[in-house]
Amino acid sequence: MEKTKVLYEGKAKIVYETDDPEKLIVYFKDDATAGNGEKHGTINGKGAINNEMSAFFFNLLKTHGIQSHFVEKISDREMVVKMLRMIALEVVVRNVAAGSLAKRLGLPEGTPLKTPVLEYDYKNDELGDPLLNRYHIMVLDIARVHELDEIEHIAFSVNQILINFLKAKNIRLIDFKLEFGRDSKDRIVLADEISPDNCRFWDMATNEKLDKDRFRHDMGGVEEAYKEMLHRVTA
Ligand code: ADP
Ligand code: UDP
């Protein structure tokens, strides 16, 4: 399969069209941003780690019956995926208060949530990715009610599968962000990536952060944390 042209270059990945009209090649960069693009940096080796971890998790989810855009990993930093019409939502699932939820609800970071919480953010850089509810999503014509039902069903299933898998690796799944798209038959399909860039992973025993929060908050040990997560996940 050949890359033909750049379809889209984002903050962390480059998406290429290919000679197969239904497939894309995603290239994972080492670039990192935080705070709606205000903070820029590089996390050495991140692209390769996120590619490998995402491939691993998409394969794991497939064994549990969850289909995704993932087709195959073709190099250190590249995977082939099914081309989707993306839905402009960031679907966040949370098990423990952290980040923007801790701030918004006034809960100390690390507070376990009585029930998993699902949130939608509008994937719109100009507006700063605002929080949306189902009514906002209807008004903006982003997705239909039955599509949101399907998205929520998949997102909560992914949460349970990842919680169980990561528990055996001594990792607490604090929260994560998923993206979804529509395939040629308008089916909802899980897309994008699953990595320390878009998940919060804490060591079960020490609550040490093993994710992008180390970059967001200048905590040091960023590369080491990404490597440690890949090691634990794939060991
Ligand atoms: P961002 O757009 O947030 O800067 P990235 O740098 O990760 O993000 O860019 C990857 C882009 O590719 C995202 O906009 C994402 O929505 C999009 N994408 C992910 N999977 C697919 C897919 N299967 N088909 C089409 N676009 C996809
Ligand atoms: N997240 C993401 N992309 C974003 C915003 C958040 O992948 O643009 C992920 C983040 O890694 C975390 C979850 O979504 O796992 C919840 O993030 P939160 O809303 O707390 O974001 P913050 O405001 O702390 O960046």
Side-chain angles (χ1 to χ4, degrees):
M1 182 175 300
E2 297 287 324
K3 291 184 260 202
T4 49
K5 70 172 211 260
V6 173
L7 177 65
Y8 175 79
E9 174 156 7
K11 297 184 282 283
K13 303 190 283 298
I14 307 171
V15 181
Y16 295 91
E17 285 181 355
T18 70
D19 44 13
D20 179 338
E22 294 182 354
K23 305 258 166 66
L24 302 171
I25 291 178
V26 178
Y27 176 94
F28 288 74
K29 303 190 280 186
D30 285 352
D31 301 12
T33 62
N36 283 320
E38 281 154 32
K39 182 180 160 91
H40 286 262
T42 302
I43 302 174
N44 288 319
K46 169 171 89 79
I49 289 174
N50 288 359
N51 186 35
E52 190 171 346
M53 200 183 295
S54 296
F56 181 93
F57 279 135
F58 286 134
N59 277 326
L60 175 77
L61 292 173
K62 193 173 174 191
T63 68
H64 289 268
I66 294 185
Q67 304 303 324
S68 76
H69 72 158
F70 177 70
V71 177
E72 61 173 335
K73 178 171 173 283
I74 51 167
S75 75
D76 260 18
R77 287 169 183 273
E78 293 168 306
M79 61 169 63
V80 176
V81 304
K82 287 177 201 132
M83 181 183 318
L84 301 174
R85 285 167 291 126
M86 294 302 289
I87 297 172
L89 292 174
E90 299 195 336
V91 181
V92 174
V93 179
R94 305 174 179 272
N95 300 302
V96 175
S100 65
L101 182 88
K103 213 179 282 174
R104 188 159 14 90
L105 300 191
L107 292 172
E109 184 176 78
T111 308
L113 302 171
K114 285 197 169 77
T115 168
V117 168
L118 185 141
E119 292 171 355
Y120 296 106
D121 293 333
Y122 189 10
K123 198 169 155 66
N124 183 318
D125 286 336
E126 260 168 49
L127 297 178
D129 297 347
L131 190 66
L132 299 181
N133 65 28
R134 280 179 171 239
Y135 297 96
H136 302 138
I137 294 170
M138 294 304 118
V139 168
L140 293 172
D141 230 353
I142 297 172
R144 314 275 300 275
V145 171
H146 70 90
E147 292 179 317
L148 296 179
D149 290 342
E150 174 73 4
I151 284 172
E152 293 185 11
H153 177 74
I154 298 171
F156 284 126
S157 303
V158 170
N159 188 40
Q160 263 323 307
I161 294 162
L162 294 186
I163 286 177
N164 293 340
F165 174 82
L166 291 166
K167 200 185 282 173
K169 310 285 181 176
N170 278 316
I171 297 290
R172 287 173 81 192
L173 180 62
I174 304 302
D175 56 34
F176 58 94
K177 180 267 299 178
L178 301 176
E179 292 185 28
F180 294 85
R182 301 179 183 94
D183 71 7
S184 54
K185 293 184 175 142
D186 275 344
R187 287 174 301 210
I188 296 291
V189 179
L190 175 62
D192 208 49
E193 66 176 288
I194 303 179
S195 75
D197 267 17
N198 64 322
C199 303
R200 286 194 171 98
F201 299 124
W202 294 4
D203 180 83
M204 193 83 82
T206 65
N207 283 339
E208 184 190 2
K209 294 182 200 300
L210 295 169
D211 56 56
K212 195 173 158 190
D213 269 355
R214 303 198 74 87
F215 169 82
R216 292 189 185 100
H217 306 305
D218 297 314
M219 298 168 74
V222 185
E223 280 91 3
E224 292 75 9
Y226 277 68
K227 273 190 212 149
E228 172 67 18
M229 264 315 297
L230 181 66
H231 175 72
R232 289 214 207 169
V233 164
T234 56

